[in-house]
Amino acid sequence: MKLSPLVQELIDSLKCLPGVGPKSAQRMAFHLLERNRIGGQKLATTLATAMEDVGYCKGCRTFTELDYCEICQSPKRQLKRMLCVVESPADILAIEQTGEFTGRYFVLMGHLSPIDGIGPDELGLDKLAVLLASDEFDEMILATNPTVEGEATAHFIADIAKKYNVSSTRIAHGVPVGGELEFVDGNTLSHAFSGRKSF
Amino acid sequence: MKLSPLVQELIDSLKCLPGVGPKSAQRMAFHLLERNRIGGQKLATTLATAMEDVGYCKGCRTFTELDYCEICQSPKRQLKRMLCVVESPADILAIEQTGEFTGRYFVLMGHLSPIDGIGPDELGLDKLAVLLASDEFDEMILATNPTVEGEATAHFIADIAKKYNVSSTRIAHGVPVGGELEFVDGNTLSHAFSGRKSF
């Protein structure tokens, strides 16, 4: 039995969400139709507006419907002469939650991946170079993901920073807090040893 | 740090989907913004149309944007003088996949639950009574969920059927195929014994 065309189309459209397969999509569609039409309508409106209006911050390339995001606009953040380079806007959220960093950000929206056609241009490194040349920053923290691609991207960007006499640092690798040493992989453990600190 | 208002609104709206918490909603929003704006736009359009247009089949109360759903329209199904009562449209899909039943359906859209204010009227039992009175059916199969509420609802509906001289049956309880006896709960197991069949 086929569902009615519109219901089937709704289920198929919901599958564009990450982690949503046919079964979840069906559950979501029925849930909205049965119990939350108002929520569904609101989602439809917001989604349409967001897909249309949300662009990239002219300062840091994060998602925003404004010209400049809240962080780039903040005068306090301008005073701190630090720039943190991350791969995605979600990383900014994670770092902001720690309260550890109060400078500005630059979002690459990915990492270098020549095989997927993602080179320096796609990551906005020309824009980053302009920022570094502006003499607004003393230090650039490379907070790309601790993956092979993230490391490669960090190295590539560190080379650019050298040109502009901005010192670049990489976030520390080591054992995660609260974990058990037994289950930490060898690579991380060797990083933790080579990066040891005196008490 | 707050996200830009529109992005935050998108994340909040996505939380209306079942099984989607703050983290998943954030992941979905960023995924759509980063990688699938077209899919997001399509979802928005379909969602708006579906929330507006999808109503209930005049025959069986399942979801459809038409007056009558495909099953209720099928002449073949009309000939089979059997009616299967289920709690939700998802149950129809599950039963249709087995190919075991070729009659028509009636969807309750829930089960009797006086504490939530769901009585016979909310389940459309007046409509069901009209169907049973129409002399179109010889048998009604009660396929409500094997829960306490589902059983109570089945019993309630079976009483209605008696009035109209339609024989009503309940789907069998027993051990699920492929399971291990060791892990089947006692209630199910006693059902399986009392409902045993001769080879």
Side-chain angles (χ1 to χ4, degrees):
Chain A
M1 169 239 184
K2 277 172 286 170
L3 286 159
S4 84
L6 188 52
V7 178
Q8 188 60 54
E9 204 187 324
L10 176 59
I11 294 175
D12 290 340
S13 302
L14 281 164
K15 280 192 262 176
C16 78
L17 297 170
V20 175
K23 276 273 169 190
S24 304
Q26 185 189 306
R27 187 168 146 243
M28 287 175 171
F30 285 152
H31 173 92
L32 290 178
L33 288 169
E34 240 173 290
R35 290 190 214 129
N36 199 356
R37 296 225 179 193
I38 292 169
Q41 259 155 352
K42 196 173 168 299
L43 174 57
T45 321
T46 318
L47 203 51
T49 323
M51 291 300 119
E52 185 73 33
D53 292 351
V54 172
Y56 303 95
C57 169
K58 285 182 184 170
C60 68
R61 304 209 334 151
T62 191
F63 291 126
T64 177
E65 68 274 23
L66 313 165
D67 277 354
Y68 287 91
C69 71
E70 203 183 319
I71 291 183
C72 286
Q73 278 179 23
S74 152
K76 259 193 198 168
R77 300 266 183 168
Q78 309 266 9
L79 290 176
K80 285 262 167 184
R81 297 172 56 80
M82 287 174 98
L83 183 68
C84 178
V85 178
V86 293
E87 288 190 22
S88 87
D91 299 333
I92 299 189
L93 288 183
I95 295 170
E96 284 296 301
Q97 265 178 6
T98 68
E100 188 67 33
F101 179 77
T102 52
R104 284 160 67 194
Y105 292 92
F106 187 83
V107 184
L108 301 171
M109 292 284 175
H111 46 241
L112 288 178
S113 177
I115 214 164
D116 303 312
I118 302 177
D121 287 350
E122 282 71 26
L123 301 183
L125 297 191
D126 44 344
K127 220 167 168 183
L128 180 62
V130 174
L131 268 181
L132 293 176
S134 70
D135 197 32
E136 287 179 47
F137 302 102
D138 294 332
E139 183 185 348
M140 175 173 65
I141 302 176
L142 290 156
T144 53
N145 290 333
T147 56
V148 177
E149 296 91 347
E151 294 294 344
T153 311
H155 279 285
F156 189 89
I157 296 175
D159 283 343
I160 300 178
K162 258 184 218 157
K163 276 195 234 163
Y164 300 100
N165 287 319
V166 175
S167 79
S168 50
T169 53
R170 178 85 175 110
I171 50 168
H173 289 328
V175 291
V177 179
E180 288 189 52
L181 226 57
E182 185 184 348
F183 301 113
V184 173
D185 67 295
N187 207 343
T188 305
L189 214 49
S190 69
H191 269 293
F193 271 84
S194 65
R196 68 190 179 276
K197 287 180 172 181
S198 56
F199 259 106
Chain B
M1 169 242 184
K2 278 172 286 168
L3 285 159
S4 84
L6 188 53
V7 178
Q8 188 61 54
E9 204 188 325
L10 176 60
I11 294 175
D12 290 339
S13 302
L14 282 164
K15 280 192 260 175
C16 79
L17 296 170
V20 175
K23 275 273 168 189
S24 305
Q26 185 189 306
R27 188 168 145 243
M28 285 174 172
F30 286 151
H31 174 92
L32 290 179
L33 288 169
E34 246 170 86
R35 286 186 219 134
N36 199 356
R37 296 226 179 192
I38 292 170
Q41 260 155 350
K42 195 172 169 298
L43 174 58
T45 321
T46 319
L47 203 50
T49 324
M51 291 300 120
E52 185 73 31
D53 293 351
V54 172
Y56 301 96
C57 170
K58 285 183 184 169
C60 68
R61 303 208 333 149
T62 193
F63 291 126
T64 177
E65 69 273 23
L66 312 166
D67 278 353
Y68 288 92
C69 72
E70 203 183 320
I71 291 184
C72 286
Q73 277 179 22
S74 152
K76 260 194 199 167
R77 300 265 182 169
Q78 308 267 9
L79 289 176
K80 285 261 168 187
R81 297 173 56 80
M82 288 175 96
L83 184 69
C84 178
V85 178
V86 294
E87 288 190 22
S88 87
D91 299 334
I92 298 189
L93 288 182
I95 296 171
E96 283 296 302
Q97 265 178 6
T98 68
E100 188 67 33
F101 178 76
T102 51
R104 285 160 65 194
Y105 292 91
F106 187 84
V107 184
L108 301 171
M109 291 285 174
H111 46 241
L112 286 178
S113 178
I115 215 164
D116 303 312
I118 301 177
D121 287 351
E122 282 71 26
L123 301 183
L125 297 192
D126 43 344
K127 220 169 167 180
L128 180 62
V130 174
L131 267 182
L132 294 176
S134 70
D135 197 33
E136 286 179 50
F137 302 103
D138 294 332
E139 183 184 347
M140 175 173 65
I141 302 176
L142 290 156
T144 53
N145 290 333
T147 57
V148 177
E149 297 90 346
E151 294 292 343
T153 311
H155 278 284
F156 189 89
I157 296 174
D159 284 342
I160 300 178
K162 258 184 217 158
K163 277 195 236 166
Y164 299 101
N165 287 319
V166 175
S167 78
S168 50
T169 53
R170 178 87 174 107
I171 50 168
H173 289 328
V175 290
V177 178
E180 288 189 50
L181 227 57
E182 184 183 348
F183 301 113
V184 172
D185 67 296
N187 207 344
T188 305
L189 213 49
S190 70
H191 269 294
F193 271 84
S194 65
R196 68 189 178 279
K197 286 180 170 181
S198 57
F199 260 106

